Amino acid sequence: KQSVVIAGGGSTYTAGIVMMLIENQEKFPLRKLTFYDNDEQRQKIVADACEVIVRERAPEIEFSATTDPEKAFTDVDFVMAHIRVGGLSMREKDEKIPLKYGVVGQETCGPGGVAYAMRSIPGVIELIDYMEKYSPKAWMLNYSNPASIVAEATRVLRPDAKIINICDMPVAIKKSIADIMGLKHENEIVERYYGLNHFGWWTEMTDRQGNDLLPKLKEHVAKWGYSAAGDELNNPLLEEASWMDTFQKAKDIYAVDPETIPNTYLKYYLFPDYVVAHSNPDYTRANEVMDHREKNVFAECKRIAENGTAKDTIIEAGEHAEFVVQLAGALAYNTYERMLLIVPNNGAILNIDPKAMVEVPCIVSKRGYEPLAMGEIPQFQKGMIEQQVSVEKLVVQAYLEKSYQKLWQALTLSKTVPSASVAKEILDDLIAVNKEYWPEL
Ligand code: G6P
Ligand code: MN
């Protein structure tokens, strides 16, 4: 049986992850589950509810929450990390500052992602160091954002650490594709995919029997993107309005290269003008999350803790937690699962930097991950990827060298930013609000 610590215990996603872990007790049995966070009050809200949930549904699991790293990281097999350094209030700034200059305001893409990375890097490195100190045999499964730049930082700063960086977005897209194709579960899709995190393309998709899914899928994507025909698109009453828009926009991304099936995040790089025109500079995704998900989840957590029961709870096993459980299970029980992970390239994509952190299918077993060779990629994707890899590498170099110049270069090179002068204006604003978090440049 396994011992898991969730770093970022106070996240609005944590309760859903706990539900998912409990539902998977047969596949991935736990002996111990610990929450760790540096925000005690926030974590307490979620932990008080999860204590009730665990007691009711899986009393054999020893559950606790702590802000003490030694307690949290001792006797651990897996660290599941999803921290947000600076919280949602800093996310709001990451999104709103670029928008002020007519540039994409997004938590992982463009200047927002760069700002967030500068805060995340030390936070994630600290977790690795706790893990290596107190449980050197453990694995860290990291989905703290911005995953791509964080992954590059871990490659440079802790090259031997047992860390795997992952993202649920390809899984989320595959869920829709499975729906579109009439498959029961996205695990029925076998894929070939290459790129960076939030920046990639599928080249092959078959079902488990080897039947090619692409001809029918391409026809659908060309018309509807990833939304099922007839989905209510752009309904402003739906909290998921922006999500639906993104899924529909896949159709325009697809049109740019009909040979491949795109990750939806490419809209930020290929259609930044569209994205900005459809953004509200005064009310961004951070506001949506604070006003809806955070309020609802915390209210529900408090209700559970007060009532002392979660029998009637609306909290559901987080779908986006499913793949983390799958990954942990593959490492613990040697399942040789094929999964998309963010790993050092080392030739997996033949014609780009071997030292880039790429997202490709890997075989996962007790020995860790083994990337599959995706071969050479076309000029268009190669150009885009190399530009973005340079952005990410410059951010990590800027962080290490405390270099204003390199961070300015990183923003200048981002496909979302129109010029070096706009990059500079955004950078200066970001520096002003991130004083507490960034190294002094
Ligand atoms: C997906 C992505 C994450 C991203 C998240 C944002 O899960 O893979 O990288 O952070 O969506 O979700 P939110 O609902 O907070 O905007
Ligand atoms: Mn992601």
Side-chain angles (χ1 to χ4, degrees), residues 156-200:
V156 173
L157 290 164
R158 298 292 182 273
D160 300 319
K162 287 176 77 181
I163 176 172
I164 300 182
N165 295 286
I166 39 171
C167 167
D168 64 318
M169 199 55 197
V171 183
I173 295 171
K174 276 194 292 177
K175 260 187 209 308
S176 296
I177 291 177
D179 270 357
I180 291 166
M181 301 303 296
L183 301 171
K184 271 199 225 81
H185 197 277
E186 69 277 7
N187 280 349
E188 290 181 42
I189 301 172
V190 183
E191 70 211 324
R192 286 176 68 83
Y193 177 100
Y194 65 80
L196 313 173
N197 175 239
H198 289 186
F199 202 104

mmCIF file of all heavy atoms in Angstrom, residues 156-200:
data_model
loop_
_atom_site.group_PDB
_atom_site.id
_atom_site.type_symbol
_atom_site.label_atom_id
_atom_site.label_comp_id
_atom_site.label_asym_id
_atom_site.label_seq_id
_atom_site.Cartn_x
_atom_site.Cartn_y
_atom_site.Cartn_z
ATOM 1 N N VAL A 156 17.222 21.614 -15.319
ATOM 2 C CA VAL A 156 18.484 22.329 -15.137
ATOM 3 C C VAL A 156 18.955 22.252 -13.677
ATOM 4 O O VAL A 156 20.126 22.004 -13.408
ATOM 5 C CB VAL A 156 18.308 23.811 -15.561
ATOM 6 C CG1 VAL A 156 19.546 24.630 -15.218
ATOM 7 C CG2 VAL A 156 18.009 23.897 -17.051
ATOM 8 N N LEU A 157 18.020 22.457 -12.754
ATOM 9 C CA LEU A 157 18.415 22.611 -11.348
ATOM 10 C C LEU A 157 18.490 21.296 -10.585
ATOM 11 O O LEU A 157 19.280 21.165 -9.653
ATOM 12 C CB LEU A 157 17.438 23.551 -10.635
ATOM 13 C CG LEU A 157 17.540 25.009 -11.058
ATOM 14 C CD1 LEU A 157 16.316 25.794 -10.612
ATOM 15 C CD2 LEU A 157 18.792 25.619 -10.455
ATOM 16 N N ARG A 158 17.661 20.341 -10.899
ATOM 17 C CA ARG A 158 17.656 19.052 -10.190
ATOM 18 C C ARG A 158 17.593 17.913 -11.196
ATOM 19 O O ARG A 158 16.629 17.162 -11.253
ATOM 20 C CB ARG A 158 16.447 18.972 -9.226
ATOM 21 C CG ARG A 158 16.426 20.005 -8.109
ATOM 22 C CD ARG A 158 17.546 19.783 -7.083
ATOM 23 N NE ARG A 158 17.455 20.761 -6.008
ATOM 24 C CZ ARG A 158 18.016 21.976 -6.042
ATOM 25 N NH1 ARG A 158 18.716 22.363 -7.117
ATOM 26 N NH2 ARG A 158 17.896 22.793 -5.021
ATOM 27 N N PRO A 159 18.666 17.765 -12.012
ATOM 28 C CA PRO A 159 18.602 16.822 -13.136
ATOM 29 C C PRO A 159 18.399 15.366 -12.709
ATOM 30 O O PRO A 159 17.900 14.567 -13.494
ATOM 31 C CB PRO A 159 19.957 17.004 -13.835
ATOM 32 C CG PRO A 159 20.823 17.727 -12.851
ATOM 33 C CD PRO A 159 19.939 18.495 -11.951
ATOM 34 N N ASP A 160 18.772 15.022 -11.483
ATOM 35 C CA ASP A 160 18.642 13.617 -11.087
ATOM 36 C C ASP A 160 17.417 13.337 -10.236
ATOM 37 O O ASP A 160 17.230 12.222 -9.753
ATOM 38 C CB ASP A 160 19.901 13.172 -10.334
ATOM 39 C CG ASP A 160 21.138 13.322 -11.211
ATOM 40 O OD1 ASP A 160 21.042 12.998 -12.408
ATOM 41 O OD2 ASP A 160 22.187 13.790 -10.707
ATOM 42 N N ALA A 161 16.598 14.354 -10.028
ATOM 43 C CA ALA A 161 15.445 14.172 -9.143
ATOM 44 C C ALA A 161 14.434 13.212 -9.762
ATOM 45 O O ALA A 161 14.274 13.145 -10.978
ATOM 46 C CB ALA A 161 14.781 15.525 -8.874
ATOM 47 N N LYS A 162 13.759 12.470 -8.893
ATOM 48 C CA LYS A 162 12.700 11.566 -9.374
ATOM 49 C C LYS A 162 11.401 12.365 -9.488
ATOM 50 O O LYS A 162 10.521 12.274 -8.647
ATOM 51 C CB LYS A 162 12.532 10.388 -8.408
ATOM 52 C CG LYS A 162 13.684 9.385 -8.510
ATOM 53 C CD LYS A 162 13.551 8.279 -7.484
ATOM 54 C CE LYS A 162 12.501 7.266 -7.914
ATOM 55 N NZ LYS A 162 12.347 6.198 -6.888
ATOM 56 N N ILE A 163 11.348 13.163 -10.544
ATOM 57 C CA ILE A 163 10.167 13.999 -10.757
ATOM 58 C C ILE A 163 9.637 13.750 -12.161
ATOM 59 O O ILE A 163 10.421 13.598 -13.109
ATOM 60 C CB ILE A 163 10.483 15.500 -10.544
ATOM 61 C CG1 ILE A 163 9.252 16.361 -10.859
ATOM 62 C CG2 ILE A 163 11.679 15.948 -11.359
ATOM 63 C CD1 ILE A 163 9.416 17.828 -10.499
ATOM 64 N N ILE A 164 8.329 13.681 -12.282
ATOM 65 C CA ILE A 164 7.700 13.614 -13.601
ATOM 66 C C ILE A 164 6.706 14.761 -13.699
ATOM 67 O O ILE A 164 5.854 14.932 -12.836
ATOM 68 C CB ILE A 164 6.971 12.268 -13.807
ATOM 69 C CG1 ILE A 164 7.966 11.102 -13.691
ATOM 70 C CG2 ILE A 164 6.284 12.247 -15.176
ATOM 71 C CD1 ILE A 164 7.354 9.733 -13.937
ATOM 72 N N ASN A 165 6.858 15.551 -14.737
ATOM 73 C CA ASN A 165 5.958 16.678 -14.957
ATOM 74 C C ASN A 165 4.845 16.257 -15.918
ATOM 75 O O ASN A 165 5.118 15.631 -16.939
ATOM 76 C CB ASN A 165 6.744 17.864 -15.527
ATOM 77 C CG ASN A 165 7.767 18.390 -14.527
ATOM 78 O OD1 ASN A 165 7.419 19.038 -13.560
ATOM 79 N ND2 ASN A 165 9.043 18.074 -14.742
ATOM 80 N N ILE A 166 3.641 16.618 -15.532
ATOM 81 C CA ILE A 166 2.493 16.165 -16.318
ATOM 82 C C ILE A 166 1.425 17.243 -16.428
ATOM 83 O O ILE A 166 1.401 18.196 -15.659
ATOM 84 C CB ILE A 166 1.803 14.933 -15.684
ATOM 85 C CG1 ILE A 166 1.780 15.085 -14.168
ATOM 86 C CG2 ILE A 166 2.428 13.660 -16.146
ATOM 87 C CD1 ILE A 166 0.944 14.045 -13.493
ATOM 88 N N CYS A 167 0.514 17.029 -17.381
ATOM 89 C CA CYS A 167 -0.581 17.975 -17.616
ATOM 90 C C CYS A 167 -1.800 17.174 -18.047
ATOM 91 O O CYS A 167 -1.692 16.185 -18.764
ATOM 92 C CB CYS A 167 -0.177 18.937 -18.723
ATOM 93 S SG CYS A 167 -1.524 19.923 -19.380
ATOM 94 N N ASP A 168 -2.951 17.647 -17.629
ATOM 95 C CA ASP A 168 -4.182 16.921 -17.942
ATOM 96 C C ASP A 168 -4.842 17.389 -19.238
ATOM 97 O O ASP A 168 -5.847 16.841 -19.645
ATOM 98 C CB ASP A 168 -5.187 17.112 -16.811
ATOM 99 C CG ASP A 168 -5.601 18.568 -16.695
ATOM 100 O OD1 ASP A 168 -4.720 19.434 -16.813
ATOM 101 O OD2 ASP A 168 -6.787 18.839 -16.509
ATOM 102 N N MET A 169 -4.271 18.427 -19.865
ATOM 103 C CA MET A 169 -4.980 19.008 -21.011
ATOM 104 C C MET A 169 -5.130 18.018 -22.173
ATOM 105 O O MET A 169 -6.225 17.896 -22.737
ATOM 106 C CB MET A 169 -4.279 20.294 -21.450
ATOM 107 C CG MET A 169 -5.159 21.173 -22.296
ATOM 108 S SD MET A 169 -6.721 21.537 -21.456
ATOM 109 C CE MET A 169 -7.686 22.093 -22.833
ATOM 110 N N PRO A 170 -4.049 17.296 -22.546
ATOM 111 C CA PRO A 170 -4.244 16.314 -23.617
ATOM 112 C C PRO A 170 -5.324 15.285 -23.257
ATOM 113 O O PRO A 170 -6.106 14.874 -24.112
ATOM 114 C CB PRO A 170 -2.871 15.642 -23.742
ATOM 115 C CG PRO A 170 -1.898 16.655 -23.223
ATOM 116 C CD PRO A 170 -2.633 17.389 -22.127
ATOM 117 N N VAL A 171 -5.377 14.913 -21.973
ATOM 118 C CA VAL A 171 -6.405 13.964 -21.539
ATOM 119 C C VAL A 171 -7.793 14.574 -21.704
ATOM 120 O O VAL A 171 -8.731 13.925 -22.178
ATOM 121 C CB VAL A 171 -6.195 13.553 -20.057
ATOM 122 C CG1 VAL A 171 -7.228 12.523 -19.641
ATOM 123 C CG2 VAL A 171 -4.792 13.029 -19.843
ATOM 124 N N ALA A 172 -7.904 15.856 -21.309
ATOM 125 C CA ALA A 172 -9.197 16.534 -21.422
ATOM 126 C C ALA A 172 -9.644 16.598 -22.886
ATOM 127 O O ALA A 172 -10.818 16.379 -23.209
ATOM 128 C CB ALA A 172 -9.107 17.938 -20.833
ATOM 129 N N ILE A 173 -8.703 16.888 -23.773
ATOM 130 C CA ILE A 173 -9.044 16.949 -25.205
ATOM 131 C C ILE A 173 -9.435 15.558 -25.705
ATOM 132 O O ILE A 173 -10.414 15.393 -26.438
ATOM 133 C CB ILE A 173 -7.864 17.523 -26.023
ATOM 134 C CG1 ILE A 173 -7.618 18.980 -25.630
ATOM 135 C CG2 ILE A 173 -8.145 17.418 -27.526
ATOM 136 C CD1 ILE A 173 -6.348 19.585 -26.220
ATOM 137 N N LYS A 174 -8.676 14.556 -25.259
ATOM 138 C CA LYS A 174 -8.991 13.189 -25.696
ATOM 139 C C LYS A 174 -10.359 12.732 -25.195
ATOM 140 O O LYS A 174 -11.031 11.930 -25.845
ATOM 141 C CB LYS A 174 -7.905 12.212 -25.233
ATOM 142 C CG LYS A 174 -6.728 12.168 -26.196
ATOM 143 C CD LYS A 174 -5.838 10.983 -25.935
ATOM 144 C CE LYS A 174 -5.128 11.128 -24.613
ATOM 145 N NZ LYS A 174 -4.300 9.956 -24.280
ATOM 146 N N LYS A 175 -10.759 13.246 -24.026
ATOM 147 C CA LYS A 175 -12.105 12.923 -23.522
ATOM 148 C C LYS A 175 -13.151 13.387 -24.527
ATOM 149 O O LYS A 175 -14.083 12.657 -24.849
ATOM 150 C CB LYS A 175 -12.348 13.641 -22.187
ATOM 151 C CG LYS A 175 -12.155 12.752 -20.985
ATOM 152 C CD LYS A 175 -12.575 13.491 -19.716
ATOM 153 C CE LYS A 175 -11.802 13.009 -18.506
ATOM 154 N NZ LYS A 175 -11.795 11.575 -18.278
ATOM 155 N N SER A 176 -12.998 14.613 -25.008
ATOM 156 C CA SER A 176 -13.945 15.113 -26.000
ATOM 157 C C SER A 176 -13.872 14.310 -27.279
ATOM 158 O O SER A 176 -14.897 14.026 -27.907
ATOM 159 C CB SER A 176 -13.650 16.578 -26.325
ATOM 160 O OG SER A 176 -13.850 17.348 -25.199
ATOM 161 N N ILE A 177 -12.642 13.966 -27.661
ATOM 162 C CA ILE A 177 -12.480 13.195 -28.902
ATOM 163 C C ILE A 177 -13.149 11.828 -28.748
ATOM 164 O O ILE A 177 -13.826 11.353 -29.669
ATOM 165 C CB ILE A 177 -10.980 13.087 -29.272
ATOM 166 C CG1 ILE A 177 -10.473 14.479 -29.682
ATOM 167 C CG2 ILE A 177 -10.761 12.054 -30.375
ATOM 168 C CD1 ILE A 177 -8.995 14.551 -29.999
ATOM 169 N N ALA A 178 -12.975 11.222 -27.580
ATOM 170 C CA ALA A 178 -13.621 9.928 -27.326
ATOM 171 C C ALA A 178 -15.138 10.066 -27.472
ATOM 172 O O ALA A 178 -15.801 9.230 -28.087
ATOM 173 C CB ALA A 178 -13.245 9.404 -25.944
ATOM 174 N N ASP A 179 -15.684 11.146 -26.917
ATOM 175 C CA ASP A 179 -17.120 11.434 -27.059
ATOM 176 C C ASP A 179 -17.512 11.526 -28.523
ATOM 177 O O ASP A 179 -18.476 10.905 -28.971
ATOM 178 C CB ASP A 179 -17.450 12.807 -26.434
ATOM 179 C CG ASP A 179 -17.812 12.674 -24.969
ATOM 180 O OD1 ASP A 179 -17.855 11.525 -24.480
ATOM 181 O OD2 ASP A 179 -18.029 13.718 -24.322
ATOM 182 N N ILE A 180 -16.745 12.339 -29.240
ATOM 183 C CA ILE A 180 -17.033 12.563 -30.657
ATOM 184 C C ILE A 180 -16.999 11.246 -31.431
ATOM 185 O O ILE A 180 -17.827 10.985 -32.293
ATOM 186 C CB ILE A 180 -16.009 13.573 -31.249
ATOM 187 C CG1 ILE A 180 -16.248 14.968 -30.665
ATOM 188 C CG2 ILE A 180 -16.076 13.589 -32.767
ATOM 189 C CD1 ILE A 180 -15.099 15.946 -30.910
ATOM 190 N N MET A 181 -16.034 10.387 -31.077
ATOM 191 C CA MET A 181 -15.837 9.143 -31.825
ATOM 192 C C MET A 181 -16.695 8.001 -31.296
ATOM 193 O O MET A 181 -16.604 6.869 -31.791
ATOM 194 C CB MET A 181 -14.353 8.726 -31.792
ATOM 195 C CG MET A 181 -13.384 9.739 -32.378
ATOM 196 S SD MET A 181 -13.753 10.187 -34.092
ATOM 197 C CE MET A 181 -13.499 8.615 -34.904
ATOM 198 N N GLY A 182 -17.467 8.272 -30.243
ATOM 199 C CA GLY A 182 -18.313 7.227 -29.684
ATOM 200 C C GLY A 182 -17.545 6.160 -28.913
ATOM 201 O O GLY A 182 -17.977 5.015 -28.819
ATOM 202 N N LEU A 183 -16.388 6.528 -28.368
ATOM 203 C CA LEU A 183 -15.635 5.583 -27.536
ATOM 204 C C LEU A 183 -16.022 5.804 -26.074
ATOM 205 O O LEU A 183 -16.366 6.910 -25.680
ATOM 206 C CB LEU A 183 -14.122 5.807 -27.699
ATOM 207 C CG LEU A 183 -13.570 5.658 -29.118
ATOM 208 C CD1 LEU A 183 -12.118 6.120 -29.171
ATOM 209 C CD2 LEU A 183 -13.679 4.214 -29.573
ATOM 210 N N LYS A 184 -15.922 4.741 -25.273
ATOM 211 C CA LYS A 184 -16.359 4.853 -23.878
ATOM 212 C C LYS A 184 -15.401 5.686 -23.038
ATOM 213 O O LYS A 184 -15.796 6.390 -22.130
ATOM 214 C CB LYS A 184 -16.483 3.452 -23.268
ATOM 215 C CG LYS A 184 -17.862 2.850 -23.463
ATOM 216 C CD LYS A 184 -18.082 1.715 -22.472
ATOM 217 C CE LYS A 184 -18.690 0.489 -23.138
ATOM 218 N NZ LYS A 184 -17.758 -0.384 -23.851
ATOM 219 N N HIS A 185 -14.119 5.556 -23.293
ATOM 220 C CA HIS A 185 -13.124 6.203 -22.430
ATOM 221 C C HIS A 185 -11.937 6.648 -23.274
ATOM 222 O O HIS A 185 -11.597 5.998 -24.267
ATOM 223 C CB HIS A 185 -12.662 5.202 -21.364
ATOM 224 C CG HIS A 185 -11.964 5.863 -20.210
ATOM 225 N ND1 HIS A 185 -10.647 6.206 -20.243
ATOM 226 C CD2 HIS A 185 -12.427 6.240 -18.989
ATOM 227 C CE1 HIS A 185 -10.302 6.769 -19.085
ATOM 228 N NE2 HIS A 185 -11.371 6.809 -18.305
ATOM 229 N N GLU A 186 -11.320 7.743 -22.872
ATOM 230 C CA GLU A 186 -10.185 8.245 -23.652
ATOM 231 C C GLU A 186 -9.004 7.276 -23.648
ATOM 232 O O GLU A 186 -8.135 7.341 -24.520
ATOM 233 C CB GLU A 186 -9.761 9.638 -23.163
ATOM 234 C CG GLU A 186 -9.119 9.700 -21.797
ATOM 235 C CD GLU A 186 -10.142 9.737 -20.663
ATOM 236 O OE1 GLU A 186 -11.354 9.575 -20.939
ATOM 237 O OE2 GLU A 186 -9.722 9.914 -19.516
ATOM 238 N N ASN A 187 -8.975 6.361 -22.688
ATOM 239 C CA ASN A 187 -7.903 5.361 -22.668
ATOM 240 C C ASN A 187 -7.972 4.403 -23.853
ATOM 241 O O ASN A 187 -7.030 3.661 -24.103
ATOM 242 C CB ASN A 187 -7.961 4.533 -21.383
ATOM 243 C CG ASN A 187 -7.339 5.289 -20.234
ATOM 244 O OD1 ASN A 187 -6.702 6.330 -20.448
ATOM 245 N ND2 ASN A 187 -7.531 4.795 -19.040
ATOM 246 N N GLU A 188 -9.094 4.425 -24.548
ATOM 247 C CA GLU A 188 -9.202 3.569 -25.733
ATOM 248 C C GLU A 188 -8.464 4.169 -26.924
ATOM 249 O O GLU A 188 -8.340 3.539 -27.959
ATOM 250 C CB GLU A 188 -10.679 3.352 -26.083
ATOM 251 C CG GLU A 188 -11.388 2.471 -25.058
ATOM 252 C CD GLU A 188 -12.840 2.256 -25.424
ATOM 253 O OE1 GLU A 188 -13.148 2.033 -26.599
ATOM 254 O OE2 GLU A 188 -13.678 2.340 -24.494
ATOM 255 N N ILE A 189 -7.979 5.415 -26.753
ATOM 256 C CA ILE A 189 -7.259 6.060 -27.849
ATOM 257 C C ILE A 189 -5.754 5.834 -27.692
ATOM 258 O O ILE A 189 -5.194 6.119 -26.632
ATOM 259 C CB ILE A 189 -7.550 7.575 -27.881
ATOM 260 C CG1 ILE A 189 -9.056 7.834 -28.061
ATOM 261 C CG2 ILE A 189 -6.726 8.271 -28.956
ATOM 262 C CD1 ILE A 189 -9.455 9.299 -27.911
ATOM 263 N N VAL A 190 -5.122 5.310 -28.732
ATOM 264 C CA VAL A 190 -3.664 5.167 -28.745
ATOM 265 C C VAL A 190 -3.114 6.256 -29.657
ATOM 266 O O VAL A 190 -3.566 6.396 -30.792
ATOM 267 C CB VAL A 190 -3.231 3.775 -29.260
ATOM 268 C CG1 VAL A 190 -1.713 3.634 -29.189
ATOM 269 C CG2 VAL A 190 -3.914 2.677 -28.452
ATOM 270 N N GLU A 191 -2.161 7.024 -29.130
ATOM 271 C CA GLU A 191 -1.794 8.235 -29.857
ATOM 272 C C GLU A 191 -0.294 8.313 -30.178
ATOM 273 O O GLU A 191 0.533 7.711 -29.516
ATOM 274 C CB GLU A 191 -2.138 9.449 -28.979
ATOM 275 C CG GLU A 191 -1.218 9.568 -27.767
ATOM 276 C CD GLU A 191 -1.866 10.180 -26.535
ATOM 277 O OE1 GLU A 191 -2.693 11.082 -26.689
ATOM 278 O OE2 GLU A 191 -1.544 9.732 -25.433
ATOM 279 N N ARG A 192 -0.016 9.077 -31.207
ATOM 280 C CA ARG A 192 1.330 9.637 -31.389
ATOM 281 C C ARG A 192 1.164 11.150 -31.336
ATOM 282 O O ARG A 192 0.250 11.711 -31.936
ATOM 283 C CB ARG A 192 1.967 9.170 -32.704
ATOM 284 C CG ARG A 192 2.429 7.708 -32.628
ATOM 285 C CD ARG A 192 2.959 7.187 -33.933
ATOM 286 N NE ARG A 192 4.214 7.802 -34.345
ATOM 287 C CZ ARG A 192 5.430 7.434 -33.913
ATOM 288 N NH1 ARG A 192 5.553 6.479 -33.016
ATOM 289 N NH2 ARG A 192 6.508 8.031 -34.365
ATOM 290 N N TYR A 193 2.028 11.800 -30.577
ATOM 291 C CA TYR A 193 1.868 13.232 -30.271
ATOM 292 C C TYR A 193 3.255 13.796 -30.024
ATOM 293 O O TYR A 193 4.118 13.120 -29.468
ATOM 294 C CB TYR A 193 1.014 13.345 -29.009
ATOM 295 C CG TYR A 193 0.763 14.753 -28.453
ATOM 296 C CD1 TYR A 193 -0.436 15.414 -28.710
ATOM 297 C CD2 TYR A 193 1.694 15.378 -27.629
ATOM 298 C CE1 TYR A 193 -0.691 16.675 -28.176
ATOM 299 C CE2 TYR A 193 1.446 16.645 -27.092
ATOM 300 C CZ TYR A 193 0.256 17.291 -27.361
ATOM 301 O OH TYR A 193 -0.003 18.532 -26.832
ATOM 302 N N TYR A 194 3.465 15.038 -30.424
ATOM 303 C CA TYR A 194 4.746 15.666 -30.106
ATOM 304 C C TYR A 194 4.547 17.133 -29.830
ATOM 305 O O TYR A 194 3.574 17.743 -30.298
ATOM 306 C CB TYR A 194 5.758 15.491 -31.249
ATOM 307 C CG TYR A 194 5.343 16.192 -32.520
ATOM 308 C CD1 TYR A 194 5.536 17.566 -32.680
ATOM 309 C CD2 TYR A 194 4.746 15.498 -33.554
ATOM 310 C CE1 TYR A 194 5.146 18.219 -33.831
ATOM 311 C CE2 TYR A 194 4.342 16.142 -34.714
ATOM 312 C CZ TYR A 194 4.542 17.501 -34.840
ATOM 313 O OH TYR A 194 4.143 18.152 -35.970
ATOM 314 N N GLY A 195 5.445 17.714 -29.064
ATOM 315 C CA GLY A 195 5.403 19.149 -28.809
ATOM 316 C C GLY A 195 5.932 19.468 -27.433
ATOM 317 O O GLY A 195 6.710 18.711 -26.849
ATOM 318 N N LEU A 196 5.490 20.635 -26.929
ATOM 319 C CA LEU A 196 5.831 21.058 -25.570
ATOM 320 C C LEU A 196 4.527 21.023 -24.792
ATOM 321 O O LEU A 196 3.464 20.850 -25.371
ATOM 322 C CB LEU A 196 6.396 22.476 -25.594
ATOM 323 C CG LEU A 196 7.457 22.757 -26.659
ATOM 324 C CD1 LEU A 196 7.802 24.249 -26.666
ATOM 325 C CD2 LEU A 196 8.693 21.907 -26.401
ATOM 326 N N ASN A 197 4.597 21.231 -23.498
ATOM 327 C CA ASN A 197 3.353 21.288 -22.746
ATOM 328 C C ASN A 197 2.520 22.484 -23.202
ATOM 329 O O ASN A 197 3.049 23.586 -23.392
ATOM 330 C CB ASN A 197 3.647 21.379 -21.248
ATOM 331 C CG ASN A 197 2.362 21.557 -20.450
ATOM 332 O OD1 ASN A 197 2.212 22.545 -19.726
ATOM 333 N ND2 ASN A 197 1.432 20.650 -20.599
ATOM 334 N N HIS A 198 1.224 22.279 -23.361
ATOM 335 C CA HIS A 198 0.302 23.311 -23.850
ATOM 336 C C HIS A 198 0.732 23.809 -25.230
ATOM 337 O O HIS A 198 0.557 24.981 -25.555
ATOM 338 C CB HIS A 198 0.218 24.503 -22.865
ATOM 339 C CG HIS A 198 -0.502 24.168 -21.598
ATOM 340 N ND1 HIS A 198 -0.800 25.098 -20.625
ATOM 341 C CD2 HIS A 198 -1.000 22.998 -21.137
ATOM 342 C CE1 HIS A 198 -1.436 24.524 -19.633
ATOM 343 N NE2 HIS A 198 -1.565 23.249 -19.901
ATOM 344 N N PHE A 199 1.323 22.937 -26.019
ATOM 345 C CA PHE A 199 1.935 23.368 -27.278
ATOM 346 C C PHE A 199 2.273 22.121 -28.090
ATOM 347 O O PHE A 199 3.444 21.792 -28.261
ATOM 348 C CB PHE A 199 3.229 24.135 -26.917
ATOM 349 C CG PHE A 199 3.733 25.094 -27.960
ATOM 350 C CD1 PHE A 199 3.551 26.460 -27.812
ATOM 351 C CD2 PHE A 199 4.424 24.645 -29.084
ATOM 352 C CE1 PHE A 199 4.042 27.356 -28.753
ATOM 353 C CE2 PHE A 199 4.913 25.535 -30.035
ATOM 354 C CZ PHE A 199 4.728 26.902 -29.860
ATOM 355 N N GLY A 200 1.259 21.395 -28.551
ATOM 356 C CA GLY A 200 1.599 20.154 -29.248
ATOM 357 C C GLY A 200 0.552 19.699 -30.251
ATOM 358 O O GLY A 200 -0.517 20.308 -30.386
#
